Every structure is written in structure tokens, then in C-alpha cells.
Amino acid sequence: MQIIVGFGNKLRGEDAFGVDVISKLQKLNLPSVKLISTFQLTPELSLELQEATQIIFIDAAYCEQEKYRLGCIIEERNKSLLSHHISIKTMMAILENLYEITPNFEVFSMLTNSFDKITNEEEYEKCLDKVVIFIEEQLSKLNC
């Protein structure tokens, strides 16, 4: 099963990118796809990901110079053991170590340095639409 996980905080401007993509995808008819919208990645999420053969993670990623560009960013955000938030790498390690599964995964990140507000609504919407269209096209190829 393909699972798409969008994460971010709707109260923090462009940090909501992942959950906003999921909101748009929920309006489409995507058979055999599980959509998950979450505030942050947590160990408990691994329970919902056990059935995945492929996972797409969608998030906003901090970048000082670039804004409204899409990239594939996998970096540790918080190295503190006190945080409940975990990284994509850690999530994949949990799936492998606890459940002995290694699904393929992709990451779509919108680069931004604004986590207080959406600074350019038009550009933000363009990024949302690009990811939604790409995912739709990829899924239609798989269902041919």
C-alpha cells in the first residue's frame, strides 16, 4: 500500500505545507492510497505505516536563501532526546528495526524561511499544486 504523510503546523504559516498538500489530496479519488495528516512525526505513527510498500513524506524545510522551491530534504531537525518529534530517518529505522520492513520512500519539501506566516500566497499555492499534480500523475502511472 502507498501511504502519503503530510506533516506540519497549521498555526505556523508555511510550516503547514505538508498538511495542506494532504488536504488537497483528500479531495481527489485516490484508490489504494492512505493519506495521513499529522502535526509531527512520532514513534506511534509507525503503527500506521506498517502496511506501507511505499511512503511519501511531505513537509516544509528551512532554507535561508531559497523560498518556494521544491526539494528533497532529509535532515535531522532536533537532536534532543527530550522531543517527541522524530526525523524521517528515525521513522524509517523504527520500521526496519521493530517491524522488519523497509518500504521505499520519497520526500517532498517546500523550501522556506517563514514559519510565522505565508508570505506569498500565490507562490505557496503553486508549490502545493505542483506536488499534488506530480503525485496524481505518479499514481495514475501505477494504476495503468
Side-chain angles (χ1 to χ4, degrees):
M1 168 178 274
Q2 183 156 27
I3 299 177
I4 303 173
V5 180
F7 56 104
N9 185 340
K10 292 285 284 179
L11 301 175
R12 294 197 62 221
E14 294 173 359
D15 187 48
F17 184 74
V19 295
D20 286 345
V21 169
I22 295 297
S23 291
K24 284 188 174 251
L25 290 172
Q26 287 171 336
K27 296 174 184 172
L28 306 175
N29 180 19
L30 301 175
S32 304
V33 176
K34 183 176 186 177
L35 300 173
I36 298 173
S37 179
T38 187
F39 181 68
Q40 61 188 7
L41 299 180
T42 61
E44 296 84 8
L45 184 61
S46 65
L47 296 170
E48 293 189 63
L49 299 179
Q50 289 181 65
E51 59 194 332
T53 54
Q54 178 167 355
I55 304 169
I56 298 175
F57 294 98
I58 305 169
D59 189 21
Y62 184 81
C63 182
E64 186 65 40
Q65 296 81 22
E66 298 287 340
K67 287 193 65 143
Y68 304 113
R69 288 198 49 198
L70 298 174
C72 298
I73 307 294
I74 303 178
E75 62 184 41
E76 301 290 331
R77 284 191 173 176
N78 187 345
K79 303 219 186 276
S80 168
L81 297 176
L82 300 175
S83 174
H84 198 60
H85 170 80
I86 61 173
S87 70
I88 293 170
K89 287 180 183 178
T90 302
M91 180 62 69
M92 297 309 294
I94 288 171
L95 292 173
E96 184 173 357
N97 293 323
L98 292 182
Y99 305 112
E100 297 179 348
I101 60 170
T102 54
N104 295 323
F105 74 97
E106 295 179 73
V107 179
F108 292 99
S109 298
M110 183 192 72
L111 305 179
T112 183
N113 60 13
S114 176
F115 290 99
D116 294 324
K117 62 182 180 176
I118 297 173
T119 58
N120 186 326
E121 193 77 42
E122 185 178 334
E123 290 299 315
Y124 184 80
E125 285 293 324
K126 283 181 186 177
C127 286
L128 288 172
D129 291 341
K130 282 181 187 177
V131 173
V132 169
I133 290 167
F134 180 80
I135 289 172
E136 248 188 319
E137 289 173 352
Q138 295 296 56
L139 292 174
S140 68
K141 288 178 187 176
L142 293 174
N143 294 327
C144 289

